[in-house]
Amino acid sequence: MAVEEVESGVGIAGGDVVGGAGEAAAEPRLAETAVAVETMAAKRYAVHPDYRVNVRSGPGTSYRLVKVLPYGASVPINCQKPGEWVSGPYGTTNLWDNIANGQFVSDAYVYTGSNGYVAERCA
């Protein structure tokens, strides 16, 4: 519901109708809701646009193929772990990115702006 309130700009915040004399009092609550929604959104990282990247069930090419990402995909990185060394457009690395439960892609295909960890290590 908070997302709808922020995006619509229509006026329900904490059960109050925004408008008239109550508008100034409700505006700070809408701003707080917008900040809360923004901080809950997961950061996404771009996969190299020239590749359809294989998603594996573990950190290596010998793991089962789960799916193939489309061109221009972006992915969240929940955690990272070392695995098989892979060479790709962003270098050679043994770092694998967990993008969902049981789904890994080589960090060599994901633009993170770093040669190291950008997320916590997977357990």
Side-chain angles (χ1 to χ4, degrees):
M1 175 135 180
V3 173
E4 293 175 22
E5 294 167 2
V6 173
E7 289 178 356
S8 69
V10 179
I12 299 176
D16 297 330
V17 175
V18 178
E23 188 170 309
E27 284 179 15
R29 284 185 279 176
L30 282 174
E32 289 169 10
T33 302
V35 170
V37 169
E38 182 178 313
T39 57
M40 289 188 311
K43 181 172 182 177
R44 298 183 72 83
Y45 297 88
V47 174
H48 194 283
D50 295 339
Y51 293 88
R52 295 189 66 218
V53 175
N54 291 333
V55 177
R56 300 284 180 172
S57 62
T61 58
S62 62
Y63 286 86
R64 180 178 57 84
L65 179 66
V66 175
K67 65 182 179 180
V68 179
L69 297 175
Y71 293 109
S74 66
V75 295
I77 298 178
N78 302 319
C79 61
Q80 295 174 295
K81 72 186 310 180
E84 179 182 346
W85 285 89
V86 173
S87 292
Y90 298 121
T92 300
T93 184
N94 71 335
L95 209 55
W96 286 74
D97 305 330
N98 174 267
I99 62 170
N101 189 23
Q103 297 183 18
F104 291 85
V105 295
S106 172
D107 197 60
Y109 291 91
V110 181
Y111 184 76
T112 62
S114 172
N115 289 330
Y117 286 87
V118 296
E120 64 185 42
R121 290 179 185 243
C122 300

